[in-house]
Amino acid sequence: MQIVVDLNRCQGYAQCVFLAPRVFELHGEEALLYVPTVPEGQGEQVRRAAAACPVQAIVVGEQAGGDAGVR
């Protein structure tokens, strides 16, 4: 599973960090760092994090950068 975060859209609310801390990390006050390839066993947490994003900046899918990405 792949993820892509639109960092221009991301506002640093950090809901993803709370829901999937092994995938998302807040660096400083607003810079989001993330692992684009979701680690084994973290899929459900990442889906919840994407759903919780107030600005819907996280795209999740098998090929999030291509046509298969799902919001």
Side-chain angles (χ1 to χ4, degrees):
M1 173 185 296
Q2 300 287 314
I3 58 172
V4 174
V5 178
D6 182 342
L7 297 175
N8 291 319
R9 182 178 276 191
C10 177
Q11 297 295 306
Y13 291 108
Q15 296 303 307
C16 57
V17 176
F18 296 116
L19 293 167
R22 290 183 55 201
V23 177
F24 301 98
E25 177 185 344
L26 208 54
H27 184 71
E29 290 186 26
E30 294 183 7
L32 182 70
L33 302 175
Y34 68 97
V35 179
T37 301
V38 178
E40 191 71 33
Q42 293 293 302
E44 186 60 32
Q45 289 89 340
V46 168
R47 285 186 193 91
R48 288 181 184 169
C53 180
V55 295
Q56 298 298 291
I58 304 168
V59 177
V60 179
E62 290 305 314
Q63 297 176 330
D67 296 331
V70 179
R71 271 198 188 174

